[in-house]
Amino acid sequence: GQNIDQPTEMTATEGAIVQINCTYQTSGFNGLFWYQQHAGEAPTFLSYNVLDGLEEKGRFSSFLSRSKGYSYLLLKELQMKDSASYLCAVKDSNYQLIWGAGTKLIIKP
Amino acid sequence: IAGITQAPTSQILAAGRRMTLRCTQDMRHNAMYWYRQDLGLGLRLIHYSNTAGTTGKGEVPDGYSVSRANTDDFPLTLASAVPSQTSVYFCASSDSGESYGYTFGSGTRLTVV
């Protein structure tokens, strides 16, 4: 079956750095996405990786290793507004998105 | 403002009743999706449509039906609601292209009692 694993919850301090990991086992791979979802709101697109390596976008970076079935989202200079759930999703061989359950990130002052 | 509009925002529905959740996009995206999101389970695909006139079943299609008469609209119907269909429902759309993420509507919170 297809499976995406990410930690249920993480806590970090304002101004610090946090890394959210995602491992996947899917039938085929056509890209990995990270989304941010604030409580009670819709998910919003953060990043996309299809080749191995690091993609940087401001305070957020996303890394992919296809051989290891592994990705991480790195958030730097954490702000209180970064408190949200972070969803990892993989596009499989049918080009359908398979979603992880999400990681709830709690930022403390 | 370009995006996806879902209606209603929330609804309390008696079990056994029929209900249609509406979804309209103005971005001319080809593909549209309906997801339900339950605590601890993440987003699960109910039905999808790759282009107007076609639909397909997702991971959890039972008890739901969809239609795609045109590019903009993708309604989701619960023929006879049951309490297990209590959830938050999100409609999403995407354009062709590998790197294009999905755009989501603001969601419908449905409670079946």
Side-chain angles (χ1 to χ4, degrees):
Chain A
Q2 306 201 92
N3 193 51
I4 296 183
D5 287 318
Q6 45 181 136
T8 303
E9 186 175 297
M10 299 181 70
T11 302
T13 304
E14 188 177 17
I17 299 173
V18 70
Q19 177 175 310
I20 302 174
N21 296 325
C22 170
T23 58
Y24 63 89
Q25 292 177 309
T26 56
S27 58
F29 178 85
N30 284 295
L32 185 142
F33 295 79
W34 283 96
Y35 283 76
Q36 181 189 59
Q37 185 177 24
H38 286 101
E41 299 182 8
T44 56
F45 172 77
L46 282 179
S47 69
Y48 170 75
N49 295 71
V50 67
L51 300 176
D52 291 350
L54 189 68
E55 294 282 343
E56 297 186 79
K57 191 184 294 185
R59 294 188 299 113
F60 292 6
S61 302
S62 56
F63 171 83
L64 174 68
S65 169
R66 288 172 296 170
S67 63
K68 295 182 179 178
Y70 168 71
S71 173
Y72 67 72
L73 180 69
L74 192 71
L75 292 75
K76 303 176 184 176
E77 301 170 13
L78 286 169
Q79 302 175 9
M80 297 304 294
K81 67 178 182 180
D82 297 330
S83 291
S85 288
Y86 292 85
L87 313 180
C88 175
V90 172
K91 191 169 281 189
D92 68 8
S93 57
N94 294 318
Y95 294 92
Q96 297 287 351
L97 275 184
I98 309 300
W99 295 83
T103 298
K104 182 179 181 180
L105 178 62
I106 299 168
I107 309 296
K108 295 185 175 181
Chain B
I1 297 176
I4 297 181
T5 302
Q6 287 187 238
T9 302
S10 65
Q11 181 76 45
I12 298 175
L13 186 68
R17 296 296 295 269
R18 180 184 179 90
M19 173 80 187
T20 295
L21 308 185
R22 300 185 298 278
C23 175
T24 301
Q25 54 113 350
D26 61 2
M27 298 172 287
R28 309 302 293 173
H29 285 173
N30 289 324
M32 297 187 74
Y33 313 87
W34 273 106
Y35 287 94
R36 59 178 291 172
Q37 188 174 39
D38 303 291
L39 195 64
L41 294 179
L43 288 161
R44 292 184 291 169
L45 183 65
I46 304 170
H47 285 286
Y48 65 93
S49 169
N50 288 329
T51 189
T54 69
T55 62
K57 294 181 179 181
E59 179 186 357
V60 289
D62 293 343
Y64 306 94
S65 64
V66 292
S67 62
R68 187 89 183 276
N70 56 61
T71 298
D72 298 343
D73 301 302
F74 191 44
L76 176 74
T77 297
L78 289 68
S80 179
V82 295
S84 62
Q85 292 178 310
T86 293
S87 187
V88 179
Y89 291 86
F90 286 104
C91 179
S93 71
S94 69
D95 207 345
S96 56
E98 298 293 325
S99 63
Y100 199 90
Y102 289 13
T103 300
F104 284 83
S106 56
T108 294
R109 183 173 297 275
L110 180 67
T111 302
V112 183
V113 298

